[in-house]
Amino acid sequence: MQRPNRRRFLRSALAGTATLAAASLFPKPGSAEPCLVIGGGPAGVSAALALRAARPGLPVTLVERDPTRLAAPAAEIAAFLRPAPPADVADLAAAGVSVVLDDVTEVDWASRRLGLFSGRRIAFGSLVMAPGVAPRDEAIAGYDAIARHVWPAAWGSPREARRLSGQLAAMADDGHVVLRLPEGAGGHPAVAAERALTIADFLHRTRPSARLTVLDAAPDSEAARIFAARLPVGGAAARVDWRNAAAGGRVFAVDASRGILETGAGTLRADVVNFVVPQGAAAVARLAGLVDDSGWCPCDAGARSLLNPDAIVIGDVRRNATRDLPGALAQGTLGARAVLAS
């Protein structure tokens, strides 16, 4: 997956500004109300930048709970992280976007106030929700806190990405790596395919005798199709065994201390396990009352929540979202349009 440089990202994020202006979506002077954007991923950042560019007088504040989200990842772990916007705090500040690094603890729709872990309360005229995804629990025997540490998901966490990278670097030349994917590929089939490609390429270059097994719980895997289309014939492909649900790709029990996974095809032993877990809407979306029984946020075509029309919801947290970087950038423009039209 292409990781855009900062100039390209900023150009893409602002590309829709002229269209927004031409659509006469600007309010009368003096009517601007503060807009809060929750989430510092590509969708949230692109929405904040587009809003400031289209309406320079609008106060825009971006709230992000993870300080590392707005920083460029270290080169050695970038391949194990989801695409991050190459627009940091300095870029946002230069565009006139205020940044608050804090955790949201309350969304009070009646008073239009946001409560933060620090005790602060921030008023908003409009609220754009772009908090991304978070892990969901699943019932797998033996998968506990120790297993989560020993077998990192590295699905957005720089700390886990460093751990996984270190484990791969320390593995024996003939080691066995298992990439476990839940049904739905953690909500990001393209990212899951990229993860498999990254590991396969690493093994091919540095551990040619090692092998990769992908345990994919999906019966019909989009990630597998993307992987097969992009993996060169021969070379790394010869050492990759991709097992879907029908071929035993489901995991029923684990023993991380012994490197054992019980699957539909029997017992597997692994030296390194990248254990990706199911994903759903981030906790703040649930807190705001925007998540339905699917675990995601249902929205209309204009980014308005179907559960609360006061909320504008963009990015990966949306039900049926296109969870890739181009999709996130398009969602940012859509979110800005919804704010300007309100």
Side-chain angles (χ1 to χ4, degrees):
M1 179 179 296
Q2 183 186 36
R3 295 181 179 273
N5 59 36
R6 179 170 298 170
R7 180 176 299 174
R8 188 183 301 120
F9 174 83
L10 293 173
R11 188 167 59 242
S12 298
L14 300 178
T17 299
T19 303
L20 296 178
S24 298
L25 297 177
F26 296 96
K28 296 178 181 179
S31 65
E33 293 183 301
C35 176
L36 297 187
V37 180
I38 298 179
V45 169
S46 63
L49 292 173
L51 282 167
R52 282 292 301 173
R55 192 191 296 174
L58 175 66
V60 178
T61 297
L62 186 144
V63 182
E64 169 55 47
R65 66 187 301 270
D66 181 3
T68 68
R69 191 72 172 107
L70 294 169
E76 65 271 17
I77 64 170
F80 297 111
L81 294 174
R82 293 195 301 274
D88 59 18
V89 175
D91 296 316
L92 291 165
V97 177
S98 301
V99 176
V100 174
L101 298 176
D102 211 333
D103 209 351
V104 177
T105 58
E106 179 188 10
V107 180
D108 188 337
W109 293 105
S111 66
R112 306 187 80 79
R113 294 287 189 278
L114 201 68
L116 303 178
F117 182 79
S118 63
R120 293 181 60 186
R121 289 179 65 81
I122 307 177
F124 61 87
S126 54
L127 183 62
V128 179
M129 298 287 294
V133 301
R136 297 171 64 176
D137 292 333
E138 59 181 334
I140 294 180
Y143 187 71
D144 53 17
I146 294 175
R148 285 192 292 272
H149 179 82
V150 176
W151 293 348
W155 205 249
S157 166
R159 180 179 298 177
E160 291 185 2
R162 291 188 182 91
R163 193 179 309 138
L164 177 60
S165 179
Q167 290 173 348
L168 289 170
M171 187 182 70
D173 290 345
D174 60 350
H176 181 204
V177 181
V178 168
L179 169 60
R180 185 272 178 158
L181 299 176
E183 188 169 355
H188 294 76
V191 176
E194 183 74 21
R195 175 64 57 84
L197 288 164
T198 296
I199 295 175
D201 178 69
F202 171 82
L203 297 180
H204 180 61
R205 289 184 294 103
T206 68
R207 306 285 192 281
S209 297
R211 57 197 175 96
L212 168 64
T213 300
V214 180
L215 297 176
D216 187 348
D220 182 25
S221 175
E222 182 181 354
R225 288 191 291 272
I226 296 172
F227 177 83
R230 293 186 54 191
L231 186 69
V233 177
R239 307 293 295 177
V240 179
D241 180 11
W242 193 298
R243 303 182 185 181
N244 62 13
R250 294 186 183 275
V251 177
F252 300 106
V254 301
D255 184 345
S257 64
R258 299 167 59 202
I260 291 177
L261 303 96
E262 299 294 345
T263 77
T267 301
L268 282 184
R269 293 181 179 273
D271 299 294
V272 175
V273 178
N274 181 190
F275 202 95
V276 180
V277 299
Q279 304 289 307
V284 65
R286 294 183 178 276
L287 182 71
L290 304 176
V291 180
D292 67 10
D293 291 341
S294 71
W296 302 99
C297 297
C299 304
D300 64 19
R304 291 282 175 182
S305 167
L306 295 180
L307 301 181
N308 182 347
D310 286 339
I312 297 167
V313 184
I314 61 174
D316 291 354
V317 73
R318 289 166 54 99
R319 191 173 66 192
N320 301 323
T322 300
R323 296 184 178 93
D324 58 20
L325 186 57
L329 297 178
Q331 285 286 307
T333 299
L334 182 65
R337 182 181 295 276
V339 171
L340 296 174
S342 60

